[in-house]
Amino acid sequence: MQITIGKFDRSSNTVSVTFEHKGVRHTRSVNACLNARGRYDESATSLRVDDVAAGVAHKIEIGAITNPPQPEAGAAKT
């Protein structure tokens, strides 16, 4: 699985994470970890993202997470 962790969003205490597995690309927010001083803990957050990745991989395997359908050719854009 390819995992890309985005920048820490202080207002929501989350990071945006993109997971790519078996041709499926899934992006979601993951709660960030903070240290005892309330600062972003990159190492702990990376471990949390790895835990989330296991669930994402399982959901991709069973078809619960898929790529969104492609728009039909010639379909009007809104």
Side-chain angles (χ1 to χ4, degrees):
M1 174 173 288
Q2 175 75 31
I3 301 170
T4 305
I5 301 174
K7 291 185 178 186
F8 172 61
D9 180 353
R10 185 171 308 283
S11 66
S12 63
N13 284 338
T14 63
V15 290
S16 177
V17 183
T18 300
F19 304 92
E20 295 183 57
H21 182 65
K22 294 192 172 186
V24 175
R25 184 181 184 134
H26 176 68
T27 301
R28 60 164 284 186
S29 293
V30 174
N31 291 332
C33 296
L34 305 179
N35 64 21
R37 294 182 176 165
R39 295 189 180 154
Y40 174 57
D41 186 330
E42 187 174 350
S43 297
T45 299
S46 181
L47 292 173
R48 176 172 283 168
V49 167
D50 288 344
D51 287 343
V52 172
V56 170
H58 176 71
K59 289 176 183 177
I60 289 171
E61 293 289 336
I62 64 171
I65 295 176
T66 60
N67 285 321
Q70 296 295 318
E72 293 183 28
K77 293 184 180 180
T78 58

